[in-house]
Amino acid sequence: MPKKEQDKVHTWPYLTRLEFLCVLIVMIILTVWSIGIDAPLEEQADPTKTPNPSKAPWYFLGLQEMLVYFDPWIAGVVLPSLIIIGLMVIPYVDINPKGNGYYCFRDRIFEISTFLFGFVVLWVMLIIVGVFIRGPGWNLFWPWDKWDPHKVVALTNVDLPYWGPFGWLGRKISWLENPKVFGVEIIGMLAVGAWYFLGVLYYIWRRNTRVIKALGLVRYSIVAFLFLTMLALPMKMFLRLAFNIKYIWVTPWFN
């Protein structure tokens, strides 16, 4: 038998047997977990007493956590829409013929790594933070900390146009502070534009490679935009947690 034929196995019984065993193991774990850990219902809802913290169901806590770092219409509308659109366009921008009908990480390193980073590292991490780390007042508590409802964290969150050297620029140029003039939003617009311009620079640098040529300009633009948008989430989280930067692009005439 040729070597290539020896590397292949039938779906039945090899793959289905492993999948069935995985299903049994997960069912056993969930059954033991549900028996051993009590999950009582809370008391009847009282409109005069709001729970602190007031959390969404666990599967929506990723969106609720994103509200800390983004404007509500971005965290609640734009980013979820881009996630759905990104999943829809995958078949149209995927030019890798390998991995069709079989599982192989080596042949799809970028595709699988990108999905795992976006789903496990970002989305699941946001849910874990919302469930276990966010406490009263939506403050951050380590797992070993006691949830103190009276905890007060002194934070001064500022928008990028008013932070550091940009704040000095805004004070020096008075028209940047006028919400009726196209001024203060220029700083954020340039910052966002510079972030997405990284995709242009990468295209110029690697345009002669086989992958970029196969993608073409249109498909590359879509992939680069979605990829940089995904990376913008951890970048914005870092800026908020490290430098207390609330918003990057401020549009006072819009919101």
Side-chain angles (χ1 to χ4, degrees):
M1 181 180 294
K3 186 177 185 303
K4 289 186 178 180
E5 293 295 330
Q6 293 178 354
D7 293 338
K8 298 180 180 179
V9 294
H10 293 285
T11 302
W12 171 265
Y14 300 101
L15 176 62
T16 53
R17 181 174 57 190
L18 291 176
E19 290 178 342
F20 181 70
L21 290 176
C22 290
V23 170
L24 289 179
I25 293 174
V26 172
M27 289 182 62
I28 293 173
I29 294 175
L30 292 178
T31 302
V32 174
W33 192 355
S34 62
I35 294 174
I37 300 178
D38 190 18
L41 294 175
E42 296 183 357
E43 63 275 5
Q44 188 175 1
D46 185 357
T48 63
K49 183 180 179 182
T50 303
N52 185 17
S54 182
K55 294 185 178 182
W58 67 267
Y59 42 84
F60 282 140
L61 281 180
L63 292 176
Q64 189 171 356
E65 180 65 18
M66 284 196 299
L67 289 171
V68 178
Y69 310 102
F70 293 95
D71 191 74
W73 76 276
I74 294 180
V77 179
V78 176
L79 291 181
S81 300
L82 288 178
I83 293 174
I84 297 174
I85 294 174
L87 294 174
M88 292 171 60
V89 301
I90 286 177
Y92 302 98
V93 299
D94 184 10
I95 60 171
N96 189 355
K98 299 179 180 179
N100 292 329
Y102 63 94
Y103 299 99
C104 183
F105 178 76
R106 183 179 57 187
D107 292 337
R108 286 184 168 269
I109 296 177
F110 174 77
E111 294 87 347
I112 297 177
S113 300
T114 302
F115 175 80
L116 291 178
F117 179 80
F119 179 72
V120 178
V121 178
L122 290 184
W123 189 248
V124 175
M125 181 196 68
L126 290 176
I127 293 177
I128 292 175
V129 170
V131 173
F132 299 105
I133 308 299
R134 290 293 182 180
W138 209 252
N139 292 313
L140 292 171
F141 291 85
W142 292 110
W144 53 83
D145 291 338
K146 180 181 179 181
W147 282 17
D148 183 6
H150 305 290
K151 179 180 179 180
V152 178
V153 179
L155 292 177
T156 303
N157 296 320
V158 295
D159 299 325
L160 182 65
Y162 308 105
W163 175 83
F166 301 108
W168 175 85
L169 180 64
R171 290 189 296 270
K172 288 294 183 180
I173 305 176
S174 59
W175 58 268
L176 287 176
E177 295 287 347
N178 190 348
K180 297 181 180 180
V181 180
F182 191 77
V184 69
E185 58 270 27
I186 290 179
I187 297 176
M189 184 186 302
L190 292 176
V192 174
W195 174 258
Y196 284 101
F197 190 71
L198 295 175
V200 179
L201 295 178
Y202 185 83
Y203 179 81
I204 296 174
W205 176 42
R206 306 284 291 179
R207 64 182 182 275
N208 293 323
T209 59
R210 180 183 58 84
V211 175
I212 300 300
K213 288 182 178 180
L215 273 174
L217 181 59
V218 175
R219 281 185 294 196
Y220 171 81
S221 301
I222 296 174
V223 173
F225 172 76
L226 294 174
F227 185 75
L228 289 173
T229 302
M230 180 184 68
L231 293 182
L233 175 58
M235 176 59 69
K236 182 59 175 62
M237 294 174 62
F238 171 76
L239 293 176
R240 179 64 180 273
L241 297 175
F243 302 103
N244 294 332
I245 295 178
K246 185 178 182 181
Y247 295 143
I248 301 295
W249 190 350
V250 181
T251 54
W253 42 266
F254 178 71
N255 59 354

